[in-house]
Amino acid sequence: MHQSGAAGGRGCSLFPLLGVLFFQGVHIVISLEINADAHVRGYVGEKIKLRCTFKSTSDVTDKLTIDWTYRPPSSSRTESIFHYQSFQYPTTAGTFRDRISWAGNVYKGDASISISNPTLKDNGTFSCAVKNPPDVHHNIPLTELTVTERGFGTMLSSVGLLSVLVFIPSAVVVALLLLRMGRKAAGLKKRSKSGYKKSSIEVSDDTDQEEKGECMAGFCVRCAECLDSDYEETY
């Protein structure tokens, strides 16, 4: 009679089930975790990136495969739009023909793709599946894509934000200048009403400025006289 190796703790048995191996009563879990954005919003004509990352307990080999599928809204029909195994194989038929590009790096756990020139017809559900033998059991995350027109309101909000970023610093600078000018004018007005007298330092500064002005004027007159004398000598 055949006796199971697990009974009595002798021998060994190997039962793969949902990514779990039983070896001499020890659970060895083979896990492959995949993550993707649940909701992605894009605009018509602007490139969209569908992110997908994975974590595997095994090293990446040429056996690793990535498959992206698409399902239109209110439909159970799915279509393959991208396949990867050592090389990239975007779809060459259907709605996404020549519009799917590779945007990932399998050695960094990235299985993302991009959609060029998206349209309103691209709305729907996308799924990312990764297999890295012996890690083949995993979750399949779904991404809901919503593509809309970039309306006037969206453009206006962008312009408004830029205007605010430019206007606020300028307004602050102008306000500080006006405040400074107002304080200076108020100080001068207060001095004139109170019969303010200049200090000796201010008087000396004014005297120096007057003397410099007189010297400059005398110098100019002297230069003019010299030019006149030279002019007369020539004749």
Side-chain angles (χ1 to χ4, degrees):
M1 182 176 66
H2 175 72
Q3 183 178 6
S4 173
R10 294 193 303 270
C12 67
S13 62
L14 193 63
F15 300 103
L17 177 63
L18 296 178
V20 179
L21 293 179
F22 294 89
F23 182 77
Q24 292 186 344
V26 178
H27 295 89
I28 303 175
V29 180
I30 298 179
S31 62
L32 179 59
E33 180 183 356
I34 305 175
N35 294 291
D37 296 330
H39 300 280
V40 174
R41 184 183 181 87
Y43 298 100
V44 173
E46 300 181 19
K47 195 172 187 177
I48 299 173
K49 184 176 182 178
L50 300 181
R51 301 181 185 277
C52 178
T53 60
F54 63 91
K55 293 180 180 179
S56 176
T57 58
S58 302
D59 293 334
V60 173
T61 66
D62 56 1
K63 294 182 180 180
L64 179 142
T65 61
I66 299 171
D67 287 283
W68 278 89
T69 59
Y70 165 74
R71 178 170 56 84
S74 305
S75 174
S76 58
R77 178 182 60 84
T78 61
E79 62 176 292
S80 175
I81 61 172
F82 182 86
H83 176 74
Y84 177 95
Q85 186 173 6
S86 298
F87 296 97
Q88 308 148 25
Y89 301 97
T91 182
T92 56
T95 306
F96 296 95
R97 178 182 179 180
D98 299 328
R99 295 197 296 124
I100 302 296
S101 58
W102 175 242
N105 186 333
V106 294
Y107 297 102
K108 293 183 178 180
D110 191 351
S112 305
I113 60 172
S114 294
I115 304 175
S116 300
N117 300 317
T119 67
L120 298 177
K121 295 181 180 180
D122 295 340
N123 289 335
T125 304
F126 295 79
S127 65
C128 174
V130 182
K131 293 183 179 181
N132 185 36
D135 293 355
V136 294
H137 301 285
H138 57 81
N139 60 311
I140 300 180
L142 302 178
T143 298
E144 293 290 337
L145 175 63
T146 303
V147 180
T148 59
E149 293 279 359
R150 186 180 284 277
F152 177 75
T154 305
M155 293 186 293
L156 185 62
S157 62
S158 301
V159 174
L161 178 60
L162 181 61
S163 300
V164 169
L165 294 176
V166 174
F167 174 75
I168 290 180
S170 302
V172 171
V173 172
V174 172
L176 291 176
L177 290 175
L178 292 175
L179 180 62
R180 184 176 180 182
M181 293 174 62
R183 287 181 178 179
K184 187 175 182 179
L188 293 174
K189 188 176 181 181
K190 185 177 180 181
R191 289 179 181 180
S192 62
K193 287 184 177 181
S194 60
Y196 171 78
K197 294 183 179 180
K198 295 182 179 180
S199 65
S200 59
I201 297 176
E202 292 176 329
V203 172
S204 62
D205 290 341
D206 293 342
T207 303
D208 292 340
Q209 292 179 359
E210 291 177 359
E211 292 178 352
K212 290 179 179 178
E214 293 175 357
C215 291
M216 183 60 68
F219 177 74
C220 293
V221 171
R222 181 60 180 170
C223 288
E225 292 176 352
C226 292
L227 290 174
D228 292 339
S229 61
D230 292 342
Y231 179 75
E232 290 175 356
E233 289 177 359
T234 56
Y235 289 92

